[in-house]
Amino acid sequence: MSEFSLIYTHFKHLTAQHPNTLLGIGDDCAVSQIPPNHQLVSCVDTLVAGRHFPFSTSAYAIGYKSVAVNLSDLASMGATPYAILLGLSLPTELVTDENWIIEFTQGIADICKRFNVDLIGGDTTKSDILTISVTALGFVPNGQAITRRGAKVGDIVCVSGEIGSASFALKQILDKEKIDCRGVSHTPNMAKEEVPLQQALDLPFPQVELGQKLRGFANSMIDISDGLGQDLGHILTASNVGAVIDLAKIPCHSLLQTLPNAEKWQYILNGGDDYQLCFTLSTANFEQFNQSHPNQVFAIGEIVAEKGLKLLYDEKPVNFTIQGFQHF
Ligand code: ADP
Ligand code: MG
């Protein structure tokens, strides 16, 4: 299949769905309208086969997830997603595997539809290793983006849901398949039996609606992609504060609850790929938000003046090395 037939057969129908898209796929650039009194919020995330997802990941999940991780970044700013651009580097054997392309595109189409996101363009090349680079665009009312910088002493630290499930699933997959994660072997799309919690790893649900609701409530926010410990650390550094976290309060799946503490905390604090939000709110805003949106935010600790991250369990300090996902 040529680059052009690939684009026109599989991607063209996903474009110009959004009222803000004046010109979608087919020209040199897309042209978009920014809504009045809004700012453009943009991000890009690249997923490399064997590094950011196991080679055995289904085509559908690869498509879905490469968009989901970017929508999660937009969610963490409180932005409303608008559109994506898709940079696709395909190995030859996938360019010619129409079923793979159809499934991959379906994953992209489904998540775009769920969040009213337009595919407005991209680029397609050949490469030895499957690499997907998605650029996402969103809008936020002027001055209302929630950043990592605004945490204040006395704020309550919250997360949006269960943490650790995805890294638990990844560990089972890697143990099972002994996959070479250095990108040497390349056997994508192997049919595999699912491991427990694999959906959390493959099909993360970005907290887009919650992120927007937190505008005007949260003082700071980040999405958890590289491990709660490391990502909360980014808020603390950017805000020049510290935090005390009660490990017993971090929500996690019942399968993780039964594990020995050290193993459980490894998934929760150092595992990645959660795509939940971590944010801080004043106690007054926490109470107000919790009343109007019950069971959507989970308090796990407090922002304090003393720098660093302190962990407690049963009110006793816990010594645990924070080491999230390292990109290099
Ligand atoms: P150019 O050579 O001018 O960059 P391309 O041939 O790369 O143009 O792309 C033609 C059109 O197809 C452009 O509108 C581009 O945005 C779109 N396009 C190319 N690859 C993809 C892709 N993987 N996903 C979505 N749109 C794509
Ligand atoms: Mg191009």
Side-chain angles (χ1 to χ4, degrees):
M1 195 184 326
S2 77
E3 178 196 345
F4 297 108
S5 66
L6 191 124
I7 295 165
Y8 285 93
T9 312
H10 297 287
F11 297 128
K12 189 85 198 281
H13 68 283
L14 297 176
T15 203
Q17 307 282 319
H18 196 286
N20 291 61
T21 305
L22 307 176
L23 185 60
I25 291 174
D27 215 307
D28 289 307
C29 294
V31 182
S32 306
Q33 186 68 53
I34 298 180
N37 306 314
H38 281 67
Q39 291 165 330
L40 179 66
V41 183
S42 49
C43 59
V44 59
D45 246 327
T46 301
L47 272 66
V48 178
R51 174 139 185 91
H52 299 104
F53 55 86
F55 288 119
S56 60
T57 308
S58 75
Y60 183 93
I62 296 170
Y64 175 102
K65 187 170 178 175
S66 52
V67 178
V69 302
N70 280 282
L71 300 189
S72 179
D73 279 325
L74 291 179
S76 77
M77 307 300 288
T80 305
Y82 150 60
I84 57 162
L85 295 121
L86 173 64
L88 195 51
S89 302
L90 291 171
T92 311
E93 66 266 27
L94 292 186
V95 180
T96 52
D97 183 347
E98 185 137 25
N99 282 338
W100 192 94
I101 300 282
I102 288 170
E103 267 190 58
F104 172 78
T105 314
Q106 194 61 48
I108 290 181
D110 285 354
I111 187 160
C112 283
K113 188 157 180 237
R114 168 63 182 78
F115 291 103
N116 189 27
V117 166
D118 214 5
L119 176 65
I120 58 170
D123 194 31
T124 309
T125 59
K126 265 189 205 168
S127 142
D128 290 341
I129 297 182
L130 170 64
T131 304
I132 305 107
S133 185
V134 172
T135 300
L137 309 175
F139 302 124
V140 72
N142 283 349
Q144 288 190 39
I146 306 170
T147 67
R148 303 175 177 187
R149 296 194 297 236
K152 296 192 175 50
V153 174
D155 274 7
I156 303 203
V157 180
C158 296
V159 293
S160 57
E162 289 176 350
I163 310 293
S165 301
S167 62
F168 176 82
L170 180 61
K171 176 75 166 50
Q172 316 311 308
I173 293 173
L174 295 181
D175 280 356
K176 216 167 90 174
E177 299 177 357
K178 300 267 185 295
I179 276 170
D180 185 346
C181 260
R182 286 160 296 164
V184 178
S185 68
H186 182 210
T187 47
N189 207 20
M190 294 180 291
K192 284 281 183 280
E193 207 178 294
E194 289 213 343
V195 300
L197 304 187
Q198 186 159 345
Q199 294 252 323
L201 178 70
D202 280 354
L203 306 174
F205 186 80
Q207 297 294 317
V208 166
E209 279 101 8
L210 180 64
Q212 293 170 72
K213 286 183 204 156
L214 284 165
R215 288 201 307 254
F217 285 94
N219 284 333
S220 66
M221 184 144 67
I222 191 166
D223 75 314
I224 307 168
S225 51
D226 298 336
L228 172 60
Q230 182 169 305
D231 288 329
L232 173 57
H234 293 318
I235 287 187
L236 303 182
T237 306
S239 303
N240 220 9
V241 292
V244 180
I245 298 299
D246 182 348
L247 293 173
K249 288 194 178 151
I250 302 175
C252 67
H253 192 273
S254 55
L255 273 178
L256 273 77
Q257 298 282 11
T258 58
L259 299 173
N261 277 338
E263 195 184 344
K264 176 169 68 185
W265 296 337
Q266 180 62 22
Y267 293 128
I268 290 177
L269 294 170
N270 288 343
D273 270 341
D274 295 295
Y275 302 105
Q276 295 288 348
L277 297 173
C278 176
F279 46 96
T280 76
L281 317 135
S282 67
T283 45
N285 280 359
F286 173 77
E287 269 151 37
Q288 202 189 330
F289 193 87
N290 212 12
Q291 259 174 18
S292 48
H293 307 89
N295 302 319
Q296 289 192 29
V297 303
F298 305 90
I300 61 167
E302 197 189 333
I303 296 292
V304 295
E306 195 184 330
K307 306 275 163 54
L309 177 59
K310 282 212 174 57
L311 305 171
L312 298 181
Y313 187 69
D314 275 347
E315 287 165 26
K316 291 186 208 74
V318 170
N319 247 333
F320 190 86
T321 308
I322 297 296
Q323 175 152 54
F325 184 79
Q326 300 293 314
H327 291 267
F328 291 97

